[in-house]
Amino acid sequence: KHFLMIVLQNIMMKEFTIRSGLGHFQVYQKGFNEKREMGENRLKTLIENYKKVFTILKSLPYVREVNPYINVQGLLSDGKRSVNCYVSGVDPLRQKQFQGAAKLIKGQLLDEGDKYKIVIGKTLAKRLKVKVGKYLTLMTLSKHGAMNALDFQVKGIVETGNRIWDTVRVDMPIKNAMELLDVKGVESLIVLLEDTTKTTYVQNFFKKIMKKKNLNLETKNWLELAHTYKKVKSVFERFYTIAEIILIVMAVFAVMN
């Protein structure tokens, strides 16, 4: 029973990690991750032909959904106070597949066609003392280093169960995020599959297409991206090994008796 619980927890944690925004693998412009790790301007290495890449990814076997994504880090203000926030610029139609444990507690989630609307975390809403329908100003630096700001209406408030994430989380339509940053490309394309066991197969399939079509891209799968998952997974693996040893010993004693 204990052994099965460990296996089940491992599977649940894996799927939760994937569906909470990482996807099974992500596609970037070549050099993007290196620039990000070195602290260089990541906005100068975006996928500008992302619509073409999106179409290719959607045609691959086992692909359930593909979500264009770009991140905005800035300040969210109600005119009296300003707080740090982490904005996910997403395709509202496709983002619903990546909600993970996020629970809508007030208002509505983003819909296709929404403009200048945002969905924010529960704790962030409390910090700013805002309700659905209120307008907030989001300020950030554009690709060229200029300060840019736009006003957004709060459409919904969500709770993920992760207090830190709920303190900074903001979702907005990707077109508005691109406008804020003054860019024409996306940071990544997040790929969600029908079956996690097919991750390596589909990722390698796409790499062959990249080479054939001379696409200047790179990929990372969910395990490469999920540093936290790796640490927690190692703990489960130790428990798994111990449980396996106990079962073997019990089986041996059963045979001997």
Side-chain angles (χ1 to χ4, degrees):
K1 186 178 178 181
H2 180 63
F3 170 77
L4 291 174
M5 283 179 65
I6 292 168
V7 174
L8 183 60
Q9 283 176 316
N10 195 14
I11 293 171
M12 288 174 64
M13 181 177 60
K14 182 193 299 182
E15 296 304 319
F16 172 80
T17 301
I18 289 166
R19 282 166 175 74
S20 292
L22 283 185
H24 286 91
F25 69 92
Q26 296 189 21
V27 180
Y28 312 88
Q29 189 69 21
K30 193 167 185 179
F32 174 86
N33 286 291
E34 184 181 354
K35 283 194 174 184
R36 180 167 59 179
E37 288 169 10
M38 292 178 68
E40 295 181 25
N41 190 346
R42 62 189 172 83
L43 298 177
K44 293 183 178 180
T45 315
L46 301 178
I47 307 174
E48 297 203 350
N49 62 335
Y50 71 93
K51 291 182 180 179
K52 175 184 176 181
V53 181
F54 173 90
T55 302
I56 294 171
L57 288 167
K58 283 287 284 183
S59 70
L60 299 180
Y62 305 110
V63 170
R64 176 183 293 179
E65 194 55 271
V66 180
N67 194 18
Y69 174 86
I70 194 164
N71 162 247
V72 183
Q73 296 179 45
L75 291 174
L76 196 61
S77 174
D78 64 353
K80 296 178 181 178
R81 59 184 75 82
S82 298
V83 297
N84 292 324
C85 64
Y86 189 97
V87 182
S88 296
V90 297
D91 182 328
L93 183 64
R94 306 178 193 288
Q95 174 66 6
K96 292 174 184 178
Q97 294 279 352
F98 295 84
Q99 282 298 108
K103 178 183 177 183
L104 181 69
I105 57 176
K106 288 182 182 179
Q108 297 176 306
L109 295 175
L110 296 174
D111 286 316
E112 188 178 17
D114 276 348
K115 294 181 180 179
Y116 307 110
K117 308 270 188 181
I118 55 175
V119 171
I120 66 177
K122 177 183 176 181
T123 314
L124 179 57
K126 283 185 176 180
R127 288 178 70 193
L128 287 171
K129 298 178 181 178
V130 298
K131 296 180 179 179
V132 171
K134 184 168 182 179
Y135 282 85
L136 298 171
T137 301
L138 200 149
M139 298 167 283
T140 190
L141 293 177
S142 72
K143 173 182 178 179
H144 307 289
M147 179 63 75
N148 203 358
L150 289 173
D151 292 331
F152 292 88
Q153 185 180 32
V154 177
K155 185 176 183 181
I157 298 173
V158 295
E159 181 179 18
T160 64
N162 183 325
R163 191 174 181 279
I164 296 174
W165 183 230
D166 287 342
T167 302
V168 295
R169 175 177 178 155
V170 178
D171 291 347
M172 73 167 58
I174 193 164
K175 289 183 178 179
N176 293 149
M178 292 166 72
E179 181 182 353
L180 261 174
L181 297 170
D182 192 19
V183 297
K184 295 181 180 179
V186 302
E187 183 174 310
S188 63
L189 288 160
I190 307 173
V191 183
L192 184 68
L193 304 179
E194 295 173 354
D195 184 352
T196 300
T197 63
K198 303 296 182 183
T199 302
T200 301
Y201 169 77
V202 180
Q203 187 180 13
N204 288 337
F205 194 147
F206 179 64
K207 285 180 179 178
K208 290 178 182 177
I209 294 175
M210 282 166 48
K211 187 175 181 180
K212 184 178 180 181
K213 294 183 176 291
N214 197 28
L215 297 173
N216 196 29
L217 303 169
E218 60 188 33
T219 68
K220 279 194 175 187
N221 63 43
W222 67 271
L223 196 52
E224 294 173 294
L225 293 163
H227 301 299
T228 302
Y229 174 82
K230 280 185 177 181
K231 293 176 184 177
V232 180
K233 182 175 181 289
S234 66
V235 174
F236 276 118
E237 284 178 340
R238 285 197 291 272
F239 275 111
Y240 181 93
T241 304
I242 293 169
E244 193 174 41
I245 292 170
I246 291 171
L247 285 173
I248 292 171
V249 171
M250 288 175 67
V252 171
F253 273 104
V255 172
M256 289 175 65
N257 292 330

